[in-house]
Every structure is written in structure tokens, then in C-alpha cells.
């Protein structure tokens, strides 16, 4: 186990900068997820930790030791690739023991460690098979087994579940968490799937365009997103955003045609300032006709347990995730309410949270 | 009904191609097999059937046996030299793929394959020349005794192997290069993290994963090695200057028997032996390929 410290790291290909000064700390034994849309630089950052990409500037440390110029094999890390990267001509046992074989570990020791890892991952019956004889989930486990046998200081995962079907992904998510709980190895995990990030991480690092947008525990990011990007990226379905201006008493915001949305506390911005109001679909609930904000329904998607309703409030798109069963149809006006403490206020120009 | 109609249409559609293939590929083979059982002097209408007499005679023909041994040595020599060299050169070229000189390197390696055989052999004849050749000049310069490259029975075979390998290398490198380009980069990255050095990745990953390419290249190299003719003809003259006599090869022996000795049936039986050898080796190699596919 070890900590990983990334300080003001940059990565550029010629004039094109991919990583624009990222600083992240991964505490000893933590499970940190780098999440962000495609092209945000999360995989590049992971590959820089692995030593597969050179660091243009900045410092990277594993367990306090600067690793900028350390060869990948000497970093004491193990990586699980998106396509598993299993050696097709080697059996599962050979795949898992390859690194130990290169390290000239004794055959008995290799066999022992491979068998131990296979037992943890439920691969004991497949050790003599070849990768192509296994299913996607089993291959994924082999890739993890290959990492486990090395007993590294840090595990790196590069979107390891993205090639699996939805059901298997949920299962593997749980297995990964379970393995981390057992081994307690520091883990850096890259995904573009915010649900994966929310369910697995101790800490989430949200990235966009080569910069860190916010670092925090999953629920902190959900409850207090630092900006509009994080607010829209974390949470599914995505947060609703309404263009509003600050009311005269600064305790509410108002849409263009006067729909008032209450705030939990007085906002620092002056009245009439244009701001963006955010409210999550799951925080909306149906209320009586006189109360709440009127939403004109444009689409209804009942799923049984919940009903997703899409519509407009004062001409602006909004969606609600209702747990109560409602009988509504397109064109109806639904009155929605919410707890003001669940509302978020952002500066429209900078996107930064202001309340 | 529709299926049958489709089937007949498909047969009809490929019939012209099949007919051409049969005429230029199958007919000559079948006719060679037939001729090997006859005695024919190329001119006479009389062509008596003699069964396996030609083949029996081959067993005692020291010229044929010499040619067979020489050809086999050359074919396997070329194979042994070409495969590892092609693989290493392709790996080095692949490593330099992004370099500005990549195109130059690739062309430089491939050019010998497209150069005409005879002029290339003439150039090598000069290189190996005992008195005027740069090879002996170099040996002399570094203090090694000069060699009679093209007149020594062993050295002349080696010279032909070198020439054939030089020509075969370009094609083999090209095929290997395609193979290298198709290997997944992530496997090498995984190996790097597993602690493999460049040569270790080459040994543990590239060589086994390129096995299908190796099998294909070895079949092509071996077949062309067994058909060696012009290289031996130009390079290896005997002491009186008669071409091809120093290192007798199968194709040359066949040609002599056909058109100098007018023994076409006998030459055909030599061709059949060559066919059986090449076919056998090819079958062995392809069965190895299939076994790998199954595993």
C-alpha cells in the first residue's frame, strides 16, 4: 500500500496540452475514481501514473518517492486495461504468473500466488484455459488476477468494466469493491460512468478538459457540486438548470415570467442578478395546484417504481423523477415542489456555485 | 427450388475462373504426373508407358541426388537465415514507424525483392569474386585470409543461400511488419508493467503471437527456396566457367534432362519428387497453423 501524490502535472503533445496542471492526492489504501467525459485526460493521467506516458512537467510521487523518471516496472504498480490485455497465447495461469516469471520468482512461489489469486477471484477451474475460452467477465477477473499476484503498492484500472454488459458490470462493481475491501490496496480507477464512480469510490476526482473540476467524497459531490459541470455530470438523471434572476428579497429566485423558486438562505448576489438555479429531478415531488411550480408535461415515462416526467417551466426544460404514482398525460400541468435546501445556485457566467 | 437455382447460378458464375484455374494450375500438374510415367524424348510421337522406372532410376542418379541435397540445403539455409532476420528487422522497423526515415528503411529492405534476379546475382557475383570482389578486399584489410567464395563447394552453397536470403528478406520483412502493426499495443504496455524489457517482450509476446505469420512466411520462403535456379545458374560456375555446375540444383537438373538430354519423362519424375517434397512440407506447416488455431 502507498499514497499517490500528483502535483501540478502537465502533459502536452507538441503545442497541444492534454493535462493542464492537475494536483490530486490519493491517500494510502483509498479507492479514488477519476471520472469525466471522453477526452478530459483521465486515462492519460492514469497512464502517466503507470509510466506509459511521459510527464511534461510537475511531480508524481508514489509512497513519497518521485517517480517521474522511474521505469513502469520499477513503480510497483499493476494496471488493468480496458480490453484486459491478456496474452492470448498463454494460459490463464501463465498470464497471471508472467510478471513473477520475469522477476525470476521460483516456480513454487509463482504457482502458490497464482492459485491464491485464482481462489480470490473464483478462477481456480480455469487456470489451464486460454483467454479466448473465457467469457468477458472471466477475462476481466484474469486481468485483475494478474494485478493481484504482483501484490503491488497501487492498482490502476482503466475503464475495466466498459466492455461488459450492464448486468455483469453491476456484479463486477460489487466484486471489485469487495476485493478492495479485502486487500486494501491503494486504487486509482478511471471511468466515464458516474454511477460506477459514485458506487465504488472513497473519493471522486471530476475532470474536464485536462483540469480537475472537483475532488471529494461521492455524496459531497452530489450534495454540493462546485460548479455547473460537476452538478450536471454527477447524478442520474442529470440536474435541472433554470435561468433565473435573484428576487428582491434575495431569498428566492424568479424565472423570466415570474415563477418563484425559494432559496434555503439569503443569497449574496444583488437582486436582479442573472443566475442559474439547479434542482435534481429526484428532489421534486407533486404538490397541490395552488402550491409549487407549474410544469407543462411534454413526456411521461412510467417505469413501475418511478415515473420520469419531462416538461417545461416557464418555457425552460425540466424533468422530475417521481416516486409516487401519478396519472398524468402530455399537456397536463403538474405542480411540483421541493425542499429549498436541495436547490443549488450557480453564477451563470463562471458556472461556480454561489449558494 | 430457389436454393438449387442459386447453387447452379453460383457454379455458373465461378465456372470461367475455375476453368482458367484448372487450365493453368491443375492441368500442368496432372500432365507432369502423367509424363513422369512415360519415356519421351520431346520430339518422338512414340511415348511408351514405363511405370515407375523413371523414379527407380532417380534413386541411383548421383546428379539428381546431388541436386536434391544442394536444393534442400539451400532451401532450409534460406529459411533459417531469413525468418529470424526478417523478424528482427521488422521489429526494428516497426519500432521506428513514427520516424521520418521509416519509408526509406522499409523501401531499402524491400528493394532486393523487386530487383531483377539476374542483375542482382551478377552484382553479388562481383561481391563474391575472389580477386576483384569487395568482400575479399575487406577480409584482406582486416587480416583474414581471402576465400575462393564461388569455387569452393561449401562456400558456393553459402553464397547462394546469402543471395537467396537477401532477395527473400524484403518480402518476409514486409509481411512481418504487417503482423507487428496488427499486434495490440496494450499487450506490450501490459508486458512493460509486468516488468518485461524490449527483448523480453519480443521473445515472450512478438514471436509467439506472430506464429501464423512465421508459418506463412516459412512456406513461401521454403517453396521459393526449393525452386532456386537463376541464383545458382549465375553465381556458381564451374572452373571452366560453365554456369550452374558448381552447385547443381533440382530445377537446373530438370531443365538439362528435358532440353539438353531430351528426357522429358525423366525430368517430369524429378518435378514430381520436388512437388511431393514441397507439398509435404507445406502440409506440415499448415497443419501446425491449424493446431495453433484450435488451441
Amino acid at each position: 500500500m502507498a499514497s499517490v501524490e500528483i502535483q501540478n502535472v502537465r502533459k502536452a503533445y507538441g503545442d497541444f496540452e492534454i493535462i493542464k496542471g492537475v494536483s490530486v492526492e490519493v491517500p494510502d489504501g483509498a479507492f479514488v475514481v477519476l471520472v469525466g467525459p471522453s477526452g478530459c485526460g483521465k486515462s492519460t493521467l492514469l497512464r502517466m501514473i503507470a509510466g506509459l506516458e511521459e510527464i511534461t512537467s510537475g511531480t508524481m510521487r508514489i509512497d513519497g518517492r518521485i517517480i517521474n523518471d522511474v521505469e513502469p516496472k520499477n513503480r510497483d504498480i499493476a494496471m488493468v486495461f480496458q480490453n484486459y490485455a491478456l496474452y492470448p497465447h498463454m494460459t490463464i495461469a501463465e498470464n497471471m504468473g508472467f510478471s513473477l516469471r520475469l522477476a525470476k520468482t521460483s516456480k513454487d512461489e509463482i504457482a502458490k500466488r497464482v492459485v491464491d489469486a485464482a481462489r480470490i477471484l473464483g478462477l481456480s477451474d480455469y487456470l489451464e484455459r486460454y483467454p479466448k475460452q473465457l467469457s468477458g467477465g472471466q477475462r476481466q477477473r484474469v486481468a485483475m488476477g494478474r494485478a493481484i499476484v504482483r501484490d503491488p503498492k497501487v492498482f490502476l484500472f482503466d475503464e475495466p468494466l466498459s466492455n461488459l454488459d450492464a448486468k455483469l458490470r453491476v456484479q463486477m462493481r460489487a466484486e471489485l469493491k469487495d476485493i478492495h475491501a479485502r486487500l486494501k490496496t491503494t486504487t486509482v480507477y478511471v471511468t466515464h460512468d458516474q454511477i460506477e464512480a459514485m458506487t465504488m469510490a472513497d473519493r471522486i476526482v471530476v475532470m474536464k478538459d485536462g483540469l480537475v473540476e472537483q475532488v471529494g467524497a461521492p455524496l459531497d459531490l452530489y450534495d454540493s457540486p462546485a460548479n455547473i459541470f460537476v452538478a450536471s455530470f454527477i447524478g442520474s438523471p442529470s440536474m435541472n438548470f433554470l435561468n433565473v434572476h435573484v428576487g428582491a428579497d434575495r431569498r428566492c429566485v424568479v424565472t423570466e415570467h415570474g415563477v418563484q423558486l425559494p432559496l434555503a438562505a439569503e443569497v449574496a448576489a444583488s437582486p436582479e442578478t442573472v443566475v442559474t438555479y439547479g434542482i435534481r429531478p429526484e428532489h421534486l415531488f407533486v404538490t397541490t395546484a395552488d402550491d409549487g411550480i407549474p410544469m407543462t408535461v411534454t413526456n411521461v415515462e412510467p417505469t413501475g417504481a418511478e415515473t420520469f416526467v419531462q416538461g417545461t417551466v416557464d418555457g425552460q426544460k425540466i424533468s422530475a423523477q417521481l416516486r409516487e404514482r401519478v396519472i398524468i398525460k402530455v399537456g397536463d400541468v403538474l405542480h411540483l415542489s421541493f425542499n429549498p435546501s436541495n436547490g443549488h445556485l450557480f453564477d451563470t457566467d463562471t458556472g461556480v456555485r454561489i449558494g | 427450388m430457389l436454393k438449387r437455382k442459386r447453387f447452379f447460378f453460383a457454379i455458373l458464375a465461378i465456372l470461367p475462373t475455375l476453368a482458367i484455374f484448372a487450365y493453368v494450375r491443375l492441368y500442368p500438374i496432372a500432365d507432369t504426373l502423367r509424363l513422369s510415367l512415360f519415356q519421351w524424348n520431346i520430339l518422338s510421337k512414340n511415348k511408351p508407358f514405363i511405370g515407375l522406372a523413371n523414379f527407380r532410376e532417380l534413386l541411383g542418379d548421383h546428379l539428381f541426388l546431388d541436386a536434391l541435397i544442394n536444393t534442400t540445403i539451400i532451401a532450409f539455409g534460406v529459411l533459417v537465415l531469413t525468418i529470424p532476420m526478417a523478424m528482427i528487422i521488422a521489429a526494428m522497423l516497426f519500432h521506428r514507424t513514427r520516424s521520418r526515415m521509416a519509408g526509406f528503411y522499409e523501401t531499402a529492405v524491400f528493394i532486393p525483392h523487386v530487383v531483377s534476379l539476374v542483375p542482382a546475382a551478377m552484382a553479388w557475383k562481383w561481391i563474391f569474386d575472389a580477386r576483384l570482389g569487395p568482400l575479399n578486399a575487406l577480409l584482406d584489410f582486416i587480416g583474414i585470409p581471402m576465400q575462393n567464395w564461388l569455387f569452393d563447394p561449401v562456400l558456393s552453397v553459402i553464397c547462394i543461400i546469402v543471395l537467396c536470403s537477401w532477395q527473400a528478406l524484403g518480402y518476409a520483412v514486409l509481411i512481418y511488419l504487417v503482423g507487428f502493426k496488427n499486434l495490440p499495443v496494450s499487450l506490450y504496455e501490459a508486458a512493460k508493467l509486468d516488468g518485461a524489457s524490449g527483448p523480453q517482450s519480443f521473445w515472450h509476446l512478438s514471436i509467439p503471437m506472430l506464429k501464423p505469420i512465421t508459418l506463412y512466411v516459412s512456406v513461401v520462403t521454403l517453396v521459393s527456396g526449393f525452386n532456386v535456379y537463376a541464383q545458382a545458374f549465375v553465381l556458381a560456375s564451374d572452373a571452366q566457367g560453365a554456369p550452374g555446375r558448381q552447385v547443381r540444383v533440382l530445377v537446373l537438373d530438370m531443365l538439362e534432362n528435358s532440353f539438353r538430354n531430351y528426357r522429358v519423362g525423366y525430368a517430369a519424375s524429378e518435378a514430381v519428387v520436388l512437388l511431393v517434397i514441397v507439398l509435404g512440407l507445406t502440409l506440415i506447416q499448415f497443419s501446425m497453423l491449424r493446431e495453433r488455431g484450435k488451441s
Side-chain angles (χ1 to χ4, degrees):
Chain A
M1 286 196 291
S3 62
V4 178
E5 292 162 57
I6 299 165
Q7 286 173 338
N8 199 24
V9 160
R10 289 172 185 273
K11 174 71 188 174
Y13 295 103
D15 293 336
F16 187 62
E17 206 169 34
I18 305 268
I19 306 282
K20 301 166 183 170
V22 165
S23 297
V24 174
E25 272 195 37
V26 182
D28 194 358
F31 195 119
V32 169
V33 174
L34 305 179
V35 69
S38 295
C40 71
K42 56 191 186 299
S43 283
T44 308
L45 188 62
L46 190 82
R47 290 169 61 81
M48 285 159 85
I49 301 172
L52 299 174
E53 298 280 351
E54 279 182 22
I55 299 165
T56 306
S57 69
T59 314
M60 230 175 234
R61 287 189 176 85
I62 290 180
D63 217 7
R65 178 175 70 128
I66 295 176
I67 52 147
N68 287 37
D69 299 317
V70 175
E71 281 288 308
K73 63 178 178 182
N74 298 327
R75 293 187 181 201
D76 207 357
I77 43 126
M79 184 162 166
V80 176
F81 291 81
Q82 184 174 359
N83 62 357
Y84 320 131
L86 301 180
Y87 311 124
H89 56 288
M90 295 186 197
T91 63
I92 302 312
E94 287 167 343
N95 260 284
M96 287 165 69
F98 185 58
S99 59
L100 301 176
R101 201 173 121 204
L102 290 174
K104 299 202 179 347
T105 311
S106 72
K107 277 187 180 173
D108 292 344
E109 178 66 15
I110 294 174
K112 183 182 168 296
R113 279 159 79 167
V114 167
V115 167
D116 284 350
R119 202 183 51 244
I120 292 173
L121 296 160
L123 288 168
S124 302
D125 294 338
Y126 306 106
L127 287 175
E128 293 313 311
R129 290 198 191 176
Y130 286 88
K132 68 177 175 187
Q133 295 169 314
L134 301 185
S135 68
Q138 288 166 336
R139 285 182 209 184
Q140 216 287 327
R141 278 196 210 117
V142 177
M144 283 176 51
R146 194 165 64 179
I148 288 173
V149 290
R150 293 182 56 192
D151 190 21
K153 283 182 179 168
V154 182
F155 276 142
L156 305 176
F157 290 90
D158 189 6
E159 308 216 24
L161 307 184
S162 55
N163 285 357
L164 304 179
D165 61 52
K167 196 176 168 192
L168 202 54
R169 207 178 302 163
V170 173
Q171 185 191 329
M172 287 306 295
R173 236 158 49 193
E175 284 187 25
L176 270 170
K177 268 190 89 167
D178 180 46
I179 287 168
H180 178 254
R182 277 201 266 171
L183 302 177
K184 295 187 170 54
T185 307
T186 310
T187 303
V188 183
Y189 186 106
V190 160
T191 179
H192 63 271
D193 182 347
Q194 58 90 22
I195 294 182
E196 237 170 80
M198 292 291 285
T199 51
M200 298 172 81
D202 297 332
R203 286 157 74 91
I204 295 178
V205 178
V206 184
M207 290 183 70
K208 183 192 167 202
D209 296 336
L211 288 167
V212 171
E213 294 287 320
Q214 191 174 0
V215 182
L219 289 180
D220 289 345
L221 264 59
Y222 178 84
D223 291 336
S224 308
N227 53 44
I228 291 179
F229 174 75
V230 177
S232 65
F233 197 82
I234 299 293
S236 177
S238 190
M239 186 185 276
N240 295 303
F241 296 103
L242 295 166
N243 292 322
V244 293
H245 60 263
V246 177
D249 61 355
R250 300 197 301 186
R251 294 197 68 88
C252 72
V253 287
V254 186
T255 64
E256 192 184 354
H257 294 105
V259 177
Q260 287 197 5
L261 307 165
L263 298 175
E266 196 172 288
V267 66
S270 53
E272 296 304 315
T273 308
V274 175
V275 290
T276 301
Y277 186 81
I279 181 79
R280 294 196 182 278
E282 57 272 30
H283 289 150
L284 294 167
F285 54 88
V286 180
T287 183
T288 58
D290 309 339
D291 198 2
I293 52 175
M295 176 173 86
T296 307
V297 176
T298 56
N299 190 29
V300 183
E301 294 173 348
T303 63
E306 295 164 330
T307 307
F308 293 102
V309 186
Q310 286 156 342
T312 56
V313 168
D314 203 1
Q316 300 186 59
K317 281 186 181 171
I318 188 169
S319 65
Q321 187 178 11
L322 307 173
R323 279 181 187 85
E324 61 267 50
R325 187 153 298 189
V326 285
I327 308 298
I328 42 172
K329 58 184 187 299
V330 173
D332 285 355
V333 174
L334 198 64
H335 286 263
L336 300 171
S337 187
F338 54 89
N339 185 339
S341 64
N342 287 329
H344 309 267
L345 210 56
F346 303 98
D347 184 311
T348 302
D349 295 330
T350 61
V352 174
R353 180 188 186 87
I354 53 173
Chain B
M1 191 65 192
L2 189 72
K3 257 191 174 175
R4 185 180 285 184
K5 264 189 176 176
R6 271 191 172 185
F7 176 75
F8 281 120
F9 176 75
I11 292 290
L12 220 67
I14 60 169
L15 207 58
T17 314
L18 274 181
I20 293 169
F21 180 79
Y23 186 69
V24 300
R25 288 280 178 188
L26 302 180
Y27 171 69
I29 294 173
D31 206 42
T32 306
L33 288 170
R34 189 182 62 81
L35 273 174
S36 69
L37 305 173
F38 290 83
Q39 190 181 37
W40 185 38
N41 69 0
I42 214 167
L43 299 170
S44 163
K45 279 185 181 172
N46 186 22
K47 214 189 285 180
F49 177 79
I50 54 167
L52 296 172
N54 282 332
F55 293 96
R56 274 196 293 274
E57 193 183 335
L58 279 180
L59 294 175
D61 181 350
H62 72 94
L63 282 179
F64 165 75
L65 293 175
D66 274 356
L68 183 64
I69 290 166
N70 281 339
T71 309
T72 308
I73 290 170
I74 290 168
F76 280 96
V78 172
L79 185 76
V80 168
L81 210 62
T82 304
I83 298 294
M85 273 178 68
M87 209 185 263
I88 291 167
I89 292 172
M92 283 167 19
L93 285 178
F94 178 65
H95 193 63
R96 306 288 301 168
T97 299
R98 283 187 205 157
S99 137
R100 233 182 282 167
M101 299 290 282
F104 169 75
Y105 297 142
E106 284 176 33
T107 313
V109 174
F110 190 65
I111 272 182
H113 186 68
V114 289
V115 167
S116 268
L117 243 167
V118 175
M122 288 303 289
W124 278 91
K125 196 178 171 77
W126 170 70
I127 291 170
F128 289 128
D129 192 279
R131 281 183 303 161
L132 307 169
L135 183 60
N136 265 352
L138 180 73
L139 291 182
D140 191 37
F141 181 72
I142 54 178
I144 297 172
M146 294 197 284
Q147 301 294 324
N148 211 352
W149 293 105
L150 298 175
F151 294 100
D152 183 274
V154 175
L155 290 179
S156 51
V157 171
I158 291 172
C159 288
I160 292 172
I161 291 172
V162 169
L163 169 57
C164 293
S165 304
W166 174 76
Q167 283 179 315
L169 202 61
Y171 180 71
V173 168
L174 199 74
I175 301 290
Y176 271 119
L177 210 51
V178 174
F180 271 108
K181 284 177 184 172
N182 282 318
L183 294 180
V185 178
S186 60
L187 291 187
Y188 288 89
E189 290 179 342
K192 214 172 176 182
L193 293 172
D194 274 343
S197 61
Q200 280 174 322
S201 289
F202 179 74
W203 182 256
H204 292 292
L205 300 188
S206 304
I207 292 178
M209 287 196 296
L210 288 170
K211 203 173 160 191
I213 303 270
T214 302
L215 282 168
Y216 170 73
V217 174
S218 20
V219 168
V220 173
T221 311
L222 211 54
V223 170
S224 68
F226 268 100
N227 283 302
V228 60
Y229 165 64
Q231 297 90 335
F233 191 80
V234 176
L235 215 57
S237 323
D238 66 5
Q240 281 80 43
R245 288 296 169 83
Q246 180 68 38
V247 180
R248 198 173 182 83
V249 290
L250 267 182
V251 177
L252 183 84
D253 203 50
M254 276 180 234
L255 273 169
E256 285 206 340
N257 278 322
S258 290
F259 304 113
R260 184 171 290 172
N261 306 335
Y262 302 119
R263 299 187 67 205
V264 179
Y266 187 66
S269 65
E270 286 184 285
V272 171
V273 172
L274 181 62
L275 177 75
V276 169
I277 292 170
V278 171
L279 210 63
L281 290 169
T282 310
L283 284 175
I284 290 170
Q285 282 165 324
F286 277 106
S287 67
M288 282 163 73
L289 187 67
R290 267 199 299 277
E291 268 169 30
R292 187 196 173 274
K294 277 181 201 161
S295 66

